[in-house]
Amino acid sequence: MAQSGEQFQMQRRKVLRKSPELWLYAVMAEFKAWGRCVAPTRQAATFGLLLAFAIIPTGARTATIDTEHLFGFTIGSDVGEVGEKEIEGSLTGRFGKQTGTYNAGSGTLSAESVPIANLRTEITAEVLGYGITGVTGLADQQYAAFGGLSADIRYQFLDRATAPFGFAVGAEPRWGRADDVTGQPGSQYSVDFVAAADWEPIRNRVVAAFNLLYQPETTRLKWTGTWSQQSTAGVAIAVMAQIKSGIFIGGEARYLRAYDGIGLQTLAGQGFFIGPTVYMQLSEKAWMAFAWSAQVAGEATTSVGSLDLVNFERRQARLLFGVNF
């Protein structure tokens, strides 16, 4: 006797409740089919899959979540324990403009410490490189050099262990030796301000984070001696799930607006980025994280198109790693 559609769905739900793995496979199949139908939004489908996986219950053992280095492009509210010291490094790549070849990369090495409760300090040196050929509006650049110095100060006001959510604010003043978009040599002065909140919808398994960002900068080009001022404002969200003790997967999304002037005077463009993130605790003292992000929507005020490839890039990737001692 044939089953009714309602009876079939009831049996299906019973099976999926008993087996989270089958639930995952079903979700993956749904997103895969949807991605074939809507190819331009395949990145969004992938991000949705990661968020769906983040809430799937499993029996894996989990550890206490520390959000200090958990994300790739988003910042967590945790700042570490008093007396903690750490060496950190990062490799960041930015790829793709309207035309030609655009590759920009930077590598950093940082020394971090927590001198008093709730206060995290960090000093960073940077190396940068550019490979720009045939990009409309940009001079060709092919070089690698010392990039500049920065100092990061972050203070935690609320701790998730004693409050409904964690909350911290930070400021990172930076001096750079090139314009970060064009790669032209010069002196660039900027400050990255951030307000970061995070909370755990599922304790020790799923964590979500939200950032408010403001990044004013001023640049004096070496070749022309001219000064320019820009700023970026935006929001970032991230969700990460601990699938095994010390191993997290999830995704991040950012909406950024670029302005002419440090006071957000004139809108120059906007971009929406989305992509996956993976974090691994390699040992008791070592960790590594990787994030990839693609611009899936945007608009520049000076060009026509569905992306802002004047102020931002088509794709971004970041590898982070560190050792505590």
Side-chain angles (χ1 to χ4, degrees):
M1 180 176 178
Q3 289 181 318
S4 69
E6 183 178 354
Q7 290 174 328
F8 174 76
Q9 291 297 331
M10 290 178 62
Q11 290 187 0
R12 182 172 178 268
R13 284 193 292 269
K14 289 180 182 179
V15 172
L16 294 180
R17 280 198 297 267
K18 293 179 181 179
S19 177
E21 291 79 8
L22 289 179
W23 185 16
L24 173 59
Y25 298 150
V27 172
M28 291 177 67
E30 293 292 337
F31 272 104
K32 187 175 181 180
W34 183 63
R36 286 195 296 266
C37 298
V38 192
T41 59
R42 190 163 296 173
Q43 294 94 340
T46 303
F47 183 68
L49 171 60
L50 292 171
L51 298 188
F53 181 73
I55 61 174
I56 294 176
T58 70
R61 183 173 61 88
T62 59
T64 301
I65 296 177
D66 185 343
T67 62
E68 183 180 2
H69 306 296
L70 190 60
F71 311 104
F73 296 97
T74 310
I75 294 175
S77 71
D78 291 335
V79 296
E81 302 295 331
V82 176
E84 182 178 283
K85 296 180 180 180
E86 186 171 35
I87 297 297
E88 301 172 15
S90 74
L91 296 172
T92 301
R94 299 179 285 120
F95 314 102
K97 288 289 187 180
Q98 308 98 315
T99 59
T101 300
Y102 182 90
N103 297 312
S106 64
T108 66
L109 188 64
S110 308
E112 177 207 314
S113 65
V114 185
I116 61 175
N118 304 321
L119 180 65
R120 175 185 182 272
T121 63
E122 183 178 272
I123 297 177
T124 299
E126 179 182 30
V127 174
L128 53 78
Y130 287 89
I132 303 175
T133 305
V135 177
T136 302
L138 301 184
D140 290 356
Q141 305 282 348
Q142 301 288 336
Y143 72 91
F146 171 66
L149 299 169
S150 64
D152 188 3
I153 302 172
R154 197 177 308 168
Y155 188 84
Q156 184 185 52
F157 289 91
L158 297 175
D159 189 337
R160 293 188 315 282
T162 56
F165 60 91
F167 179 72
V169 297
E172 184 178 3
R174 177 182 176 273
W175 163 70
R177 299 182 65 242
D179 181 277
D180 57 355
V181 175
T182 68
Q184 293 188 41
S187 296
Q188 186 174 76
Y189 306 93
S190 63
V191 184
D192 293 354
F193 296 102
V194 62
D198 51 31
W199 61 100
E200 297 180 37
I202 303 177
R203 194 70 175 174
N204 293 335
R205 183 173 295 281
V206 178
V207 62
F210 175 79
N211 287 178
L212 283 176
L213 310 168
Y214 172 51
Q215 302 165 339
E217 64 183 33
T218 181
T219 306
R220 182 179 184 275
L221 297 180
K222 180 179 179 181
W223 296 341
T224 63
T226 58
W227 288 87
S228 63
Q229 294 183 336
Q230 303 84 29
S231 55
T232 303
V235 297
I237 60 172
V239 177
M240 296 287 281
Q242 187 170 199
I243 60 173
K244 188 177 180 181
S245 182
I247 300 178
F248 293 77
I249 66 170
E252 298 178 66
R254 292 171 294 149
Y255 172 64
L256 304 175
R257 293 170 65 91
Y259 294 86
D260 293 326
I262 61 174
L264 310 179
Q265 285 92 339
T266 304
L267 179 65
Q270 54 189 322
F272 179 64
F273 292 81
I274 195 168
T277 303
V278 178
Y279 172 92
M280 291 179 288
Q281 189 72 38
L282 302 177
S283 68
E284 185 178 350
K285 295 183 178 296
W287 57 270
M288 181 175 65
F290 175 77
W292 177 86
S293 189
Q295 187 182 166
V296 296
E299 181 182 15
T301 59
T302 58
S303 65
V304 178
S306 59
L307 300 178
D308 179 357
L309 298 179
V310 176
N311 302 287
F312 305 108
E313 299 78 35
R314 194 181 297 273
R315 292 173 296 275
Q316 300 176 352
R318 178 168 290 172
L319 174 68
L320 303 165
F321 51 91
V323 178
N324 295 309
F325 61 93

